[in-house]
Amino acid sequence: MINTHGGNNLVIVDSDALIGLISENDLLHKRCIKVADYLAKNNYVTIICNSTVLEAATTLSRAINRPDLAKKLLKDFDLIKQQEFADVGAMSLVSDMFNPKSSKKHTPFDYCVCAVAKINNINLIFSFDKFYEKQGLTLVESIMQSK
């Protein structure tokens, strides 16, 4: 994957961004709003995997104790019409990439996001997790800061 925008207007979204957008009490909320505004103003197209929505909804429901926000996220996601993207072969990539001896913080969900990005030649991610930079993706916030 390439670390520059390069004309591709696709951005894959991670669960930390979804949680930050929907939860006003989240520490990332204000940053998420700024990134979302930047993406909208610059005509980026976001791609959100079903598994990412489920991960975010599970975190909202269990860890953050906001099942109401989990329900809202699931309903909102059901209503959006997003650009189609390929995920065929993602599980094969995830099984190759996932290292059970690496950090417990980075789950198969994270590797699934990377796999879908790779399959679709997406090099930008709406996330704040530096893990993705190590996987060859560029955090949207970092391109915002460079402009």
Side-chain angles (χ1 to χ4, degrees):
M1 284 177 268
I2 304 168
N3 279 332
T4 60
H5 181 49
N8 183 340
N9 72 335
L10 297 178
V11 176
I12 197 156
V13 180
D14 191 30
S15 59
D16 63 335
L18 293 179
I19 293 166
L21 284 169
I22 200 165
S23 177
E24 293 179 6
N25 294 327
D26 191 90
L27 294 174
L28 295 174
H29 180 71
K30 289 180 182 177
R31 288 169 68 189
C32 285
I33 297 300
K34 286 180 183 176
V35 172
D37 287 345
Y38 174 83
L39 294 174
K41 287 177 185 171
N42 290 282
N43 299 312
Y44 285 92
V45 176
T46 56
I47 301 297
I48 307 170
C49 303
N50 289 338
S51 60
T52 301
V53 174
L54 293 173
E55 178 188 23
T58 299
T59 300
L60 285 163
S61 184
R62 286 187 179 169
I64 300 174
N65 198 26
R66 291 295 308 267
D68 58 314
L69 291 180
K71 177 73 172 184
K72 180 176 176 11
L73 176 63
L74 294 167
K75 283 196 134 330
D76 289 351
F77 183 70
D78 185 46
L79 296 174
I80 67 167
K81 302 287 184 233
Q82 70 174 339
Q83 179 171 319
E84 288 192 26
F85 61 93
D87 62 358
V88 174
M91 291 311 292
S92 178
L93 282 173
V94 170
S95 67
D96 288 344
M97 293 167 38
F98 181 70
N99 180 354
K101 294 179 182 177
S102 67
S103 169
K104 289 183 182 181
K105 181 182 174 198
H106 300 110
T107 68
F109 287 114
D110 301 321
Y111 288 97
C112 187
V113 169
C114 293
V116 171
K118 184 173 189 157
I119 290 168
N120 291 278
N121 297 314
I122 299 171
N123 54 35
L124 295 174
I125 185 163
F126 185 174
S127 178
F128 302 92
D129 190 340
K130 301 280 187 197
F131 160 79
Y132 291 111
E133 291 179 323
K134 295 174 187 165
Q135 303 303 314
L137 294 168
T138 300
L139 304 178
V140 173
E141 192 175 54
S142 70
I143 65 167
M144 290 171 54
Q145 293 170 350
S146 68
K147 290 188 177 198

